[in-house]
Amino acid sequence: MPEVIDSKTIFSLLEVTRSIQKTIADRYKNLYWIKAEMNKLNHYSHSGHCYPELVEKKDGKIVAEIRSILWKTDFQRINQQFIKLLNEPLRDGITMLFQAGISYDPMYGLSLRIVDIDPTFVLGELEREKKESILKLQQEGIFDTNKKLPFPAVPKRLAIISVETSKGLSDFYKIINNNPWGYRFETTLYPALLQGDKSIPSIIKQLSILAERTDKYDAVAIIRGGGGEVGLSSYNNYLLAKAIAIFPLPILTGIGHSTNETVSEMVAYKNAITPSELADFLIQKFHNFAIPLDQSREKLIYFSKQHFLRERNTIAQSMQRISWSSKNKIASEKHGIQIFTQRLQLFSDQFLREKRVSLKHLDRLVKLADPAQLLKRGFSITRSNGKIVTHINQLQEGDQIETIFIDGKITGTVTHKEEDHGQ
């Protein structure tokens, strides 16, 4: 009971919370169907109970939030329904329609006790989001943008967005690295979350990093193991699908076994149902390049051999002709050389005789021109100032002269000169 102090009615905290508890219990006696997003499941394996965090969002912002309780037995029953219908267990990030009672506890506050969840509603929500994303991408004119990119003839350098421990990634590596043709792939892993709402910003972040490194890769592969409709719901997200659609390199997806394509798969350059199928697609690209190349190589070898064979025969025939022709030509040349040698010998002898006669003639002329011979014959040589005098006009009266004879010389002075004008 409340106390009265100084005319004030005072309630204890327990009394207030119990009053709220009773009011809510009286007011909300029934079970209610409620739509909300399960932000986090909060399953505790040691007890088996779950304490889901429920939110409602508008324009990406949380406008309402409340905690809830899902007891072990209810969780096991509901989880089995999800696995049977959706091939996926309950998980974070799904929008669901659930039946719950409203309760208040003085210790734990207001909460919703979940007793049932409709798995078919979850499927409907996924389909609605999928259609909205497709419509937005089509209206923006980017739905087929990635598909229109040119694909390299040999997609050797691959950037892979996946989880290192993913079985799907392991299968992918096993096929491409152990292919019997020895094709070599260069792969770089960019780790990211691949399931739940957190996978959306995780994958987008890695795509933004890769957008700055497009010169290093030929294509990007998003690889994930198998999963049902719920597990793939994040791939219907508009923002993720848009990031894939406008990416500057071809994006390849191998994200599950579902036959119902997600929007991200639709806008990607190539969608493979499984990572193994994606690996086969890449190997086939190598085949498409290598097989015509091998055929061309075989043709080149064949035609080269044929060409060499023809050339060898031609050379052999030419050698035979050359051998026969050479023998005849050598004999002819030998005969010509003999004739030339004989002629050269005759010409040389005649040339030498003529040169000997010329030399004798020149010798006589040289001897005749020798001053000593002239002096012996009675001639003399007159010099004036060291120069030989050949004409009288070179001398003047009074000049000193020197006259040379065979056996000596005399000097004198010109006292008179008489010119012979008849000469």
Side-chain angles (χ1 to χ4, degrees):
M1 295 293 293
E3 297 180 76
V4 178
I5 302 175
D6 297 334
S7 69
K8 297 177 182 177
T9 302
I10 300 173
F11 297 90
S12 69
L13 180 60
L14 180 61
E15 289 174 327
V16 172
T17 54
R18 282 180 175 175
S19 175
I20 296 172
Q21 182 181 37
K22 183 177 184 304
T23 301
I24 291 177
D26 292 340
R27 172 67 178 83
Y28 299 101
K29 294 180 179 180
N30 300 321
L31 297 176
Y32 302 90
W33 284 100
I34 304 167
K35 183 177 77 170
E37 179 180 331
M38 186 159 62
N39 190 49
K40 195 170 183 181
L41 178 61
N42 289 324
H43 176 245
Y44 290 85
S45 57
H46 65 279
S47 66
H49 304 317
C50 301
Y51 300 92
E53 296 175 7
L54 305 176
V55 298
E56 182 174 343
K57 297 177 183 177
K58 285 188 178 179
D59 300 324
K61 295 181 179 180
I62 296 176
V63 295
E65 183 174 6
I66 193 171
R67 60 184 295 275
S68 62
I69 301 169
L70 181 57
W71 299 123
K72 177 180 178 180
T73 54
D74 292 328
F75 168 72
Q76 290 176 340
R77 172 177 50 81
I78 294 169
N79 200 46
Q80 287 300 317
Q81 291 176 351
F82 267 70
I83 292 173
K84 182 178 180 180
L85 181 62
L86 305 180
N87 197 30
E88 279 285 338
L90 275 174
R91 64 169 182 83
D92 301 345
I94 61 171
T95 298
M96 60 183 185
L97 182 64
F98 61 94
Q99 190 178 38
I102 303 171
S103 64
Y104 180 85
D105 184 90
M107 284 290 294
Y108 303 106
L110 186 67
S111 65
L112 301 177
R113 185 200 164 203
I114 299 174
V115 295
D116 200 7
I117 300 175
D118 184 0
T120 59
F121 176 84
V122 176
L123 278 178
E125 283 295 296
L126 294 178
E127 189 63 26
R128 180 188 59 79
E129 181 184 17
K130 178 178 179 179
K131 290 180 179 179
E132 288 180 355
S133 296
I134 292 172
L135 182 60
K136 285 183 181 179
L137 295 169
Q138 290 175 338
Q139 289 174 341
E140 293 176 15
I142 59 174
F143 190 84
D144 295 324
T145 300
N146 197 259
K147 292 182 180 295
K148 294 177 181 178
L149 292 175
F151 198 82
V154 182
K156 182 180 179 65
R157 306 171 302 164
L158 300 174
I160 299 176
I161 298 176
S162 187
V163 177
E164 189 173 5
T165 57
S166 167
K167 184 181 182 302
L169 180 62
S170 177
D171 294 341
F172 177 82
Y173 279 151
K174 189 179 298 183
I175 293 173
I176 65 169
N177 292 332
N178 299 318
N179 71 86
W181 302 276
Y183 300 146
R184 298 293 297 273
F185 293 86
E186 298 173 6
T187 60
T188 305
L189 178 64
Y190 287 80
L193 298 174
L194 299 178
Q195 185 168 303
D197 280 357
K198 293 182 179 178
S199 66
I200 297 169
S202 182
I203 296 173
I204 291 176
K205 178 182 177 182
Q206 295 295 31
L207 288 175
S208 65
I209 292 172
L210 284 168
E212 302 295 326
R213 305 175 184 177
T214 54
D215 59 322
K216 299 181 183 295
Y217 303 104
D218 299 315
V220 176
I222 301 175
I223 296 175
R224 172 187 180 275
E229 296 295 329
V230 176
L232 294 172
S233 62
S234 59
Y235 297 94
N236 287 322
N237 179 266
Y238 163 74
L239 294 177
L240 177 57
K242 181 176 181 179
I244 293 173
I246 64 175
F247 197 76
L249 289 178
I251 290 187
L252 317 174
T253 57
I255 61 175
H257 297 276
S258 174
T259 56
N260 188 11
E261 277 188 309
T262 64
V263 182
S264 292
E265 293 172 297
M266 291 178 182
V267 300
Y269 182 90
K270 165 67 179 179
N271 168 40
I273 295 177
T274 65
S276 299
E277 183 186 286
L278 182 59
D280 292 336
F281 166 79
L282 292 168
I283 291 173
Q284 186 61 48
K285 286 294 182 180
F286 271 73
H287 274 332
N288 295 343
F289 179 81
I291 291 175
L293 194 64
D294 288 341
Q295 292 174 344
S296 299
R297 181 172 61 90
E298 291 174 0
K299 287 182 181 179
L300 181 61
I301 293 172
Y302 172 77
F303 287 119
S304 296
K305 287 181 178 178
Q306 294 297 315
H307 177 72
F308 286 140
L309 182 61
R310 288 195 299 270
E311 290 298 317
R312 182 183 296 172
N313 293 335
T314 301
I315 291 172
Q317 294 172 2
S318 298
M319 290 296 293
Q320 291 176 353
R321 290 195 295 268
I322 290 171
S323 177
W324 179 81
S325 176
S326 296
K327 290 179 181 178
N328 291 336
K329 188 171 183 180
I330 290 171
S332 175
E333 291 294 330
K334 186 182 292 185
H335 178 68
I337 290 171
Q338 290 174 348
I339 296 174
F340 176 75
T341 303
Q342 293 172 357
R343 290 179 178 175
L344 181 61
Q345 186 66 44
L346 292 173
F347 175 78
S348 299
D349 293 344
Q350 182 179 354
F351 178 76
L352 291 173
R353 284 195 298 270
E354 291 175 353
K355 291 302 177 183
R356 289 193 190 101
V357 172
S358 297
L359 287 173
K360 288 180 180 180
H361 180 65
L362 289 173
D363 184 57
R364 286 196 299 271
L365 291 177
V366 169
K367 289 179 178 179
L368 289 174
D370 186 354
Q373 296 298 324
L374 293 174
L375 294 174
K376 284 182 181 180
R377 292 167 59 189
F379 294 95
S380 62
I381 299 173
T382 301
R383 291 178 178 173
S384 176
N385 295 324
K387 296 180 179 181
I388 296 176
V389 178
T390 58
H391 295 84
I392 195 170
N393 59 8
Q394 292 178 256
L395 299 173
Q396 301 294 331
E397 292 181 2
D399 289 344
Q400 296 292 319
I401 61 173
E402 178 184 60
T403 301
I404 301 171
F405 298 93
I406 187 62
D407 54 355
K409 62 181 177 178
I410 60 173
T411 58
T413 302
V414 178
T415 58
H416 175 73
K417 75 174 183 175
E418 184 177 339
E419 297 184 17
D420 186 358
H421 297 290
Q423 296 296 322

